[in-house]
Amino acid sequence: MNLIGLPSIVLIVLVMSMSSKAEGFVNPSIKQKSPSSSRNSEMNSQDNETTAGKNEIKALSEADPNDTSIPTLKLGNTISFKNLGPIIINSDGTTMRIDNWDELTEREKEVTWKRISKRNEERKKALFEKQQNEIKEQTQSSE
């Protein structure tokens, strides 16, 4: 009688594949390093470190208190996100931003702000009316 049958081999392969994902197992038959994959190998080593140190929590590095590029917010102060461009309200209520806002000229930004502000007001009004109608329909159908 054969001790290792086909179901046993399938089970062994399945267990090995599961443990390779969980423990960072590397198949020795696959070449891991090539000149073009140095970035991928760095990412894999970071993944392996993350997997190996699941219980270890790494602290963030301290910010430089003299760095003026990092905005700070103190109680009572506000931060302006105007440099990111306007938030666009879509007709279904979702929002988005303009991807190339930083590439627009000042004139293009002015025109865009005006158009989007007007359109956003119209869309907010339409969405609010739609919501109110849905509420009325729900209350009428429940009575």
Side-chain angles (χ1 to χ4, degrees), residues 35-106:
S36 64
S37 67
S38 62
R39 182 172 173 222
N40 291 339
S41 64
E42 290 175 10
M43 292 175 68
N44 289 340
S45 67
Q46 289 174 350
D47 290 344
N48 290 342
E49 290 172 10
T50 304
T51 305
K54 281 185 179 179
N55 296 333
E56 181 181 330
I57 299 174
K58 295 183 179 179
L60 293 174
S61 60
E62 293 269 337
D64 182 11
N66 299 324
D67 187 2
T68 58
S69 67
I70 301 172
T72 58
L73 181 63
K74 295 183 181 178
L75 188 59
N77 291 353
T78 59
I79 293 180
S80 174
F81 293 104
K82 193 171 184 175
N83 61 333
L84 299 176
I87 295 175
I88 300 168
I89 300 175
N90 298 318
S91 56
D92 62 352
T94 58
T95 60
M96 61 182 252
R97 289 198 181 267
I98 299 174
D99 292 333
N100 65 337
W101 181 256
D102 56 336
E103 298 170 10
L104 299 178
T105 64
E106 288 303 314

Side-chain angles (χ1 to χ4, degrees), residues 116-132:
I116 291 175
S117 297
K118 183 178 178 183
R119 190 173 57 197
N120 281 351
E121 287 302 319
E122 293 169 358
R123 289 183 176 172
K124 283 194 304 187
K125 184 178 178 183
L127 288 167
F128 181 75
E129 289 173 0
K130 180 181 175 184
Q131 183 182 32
Q132 293 302 317

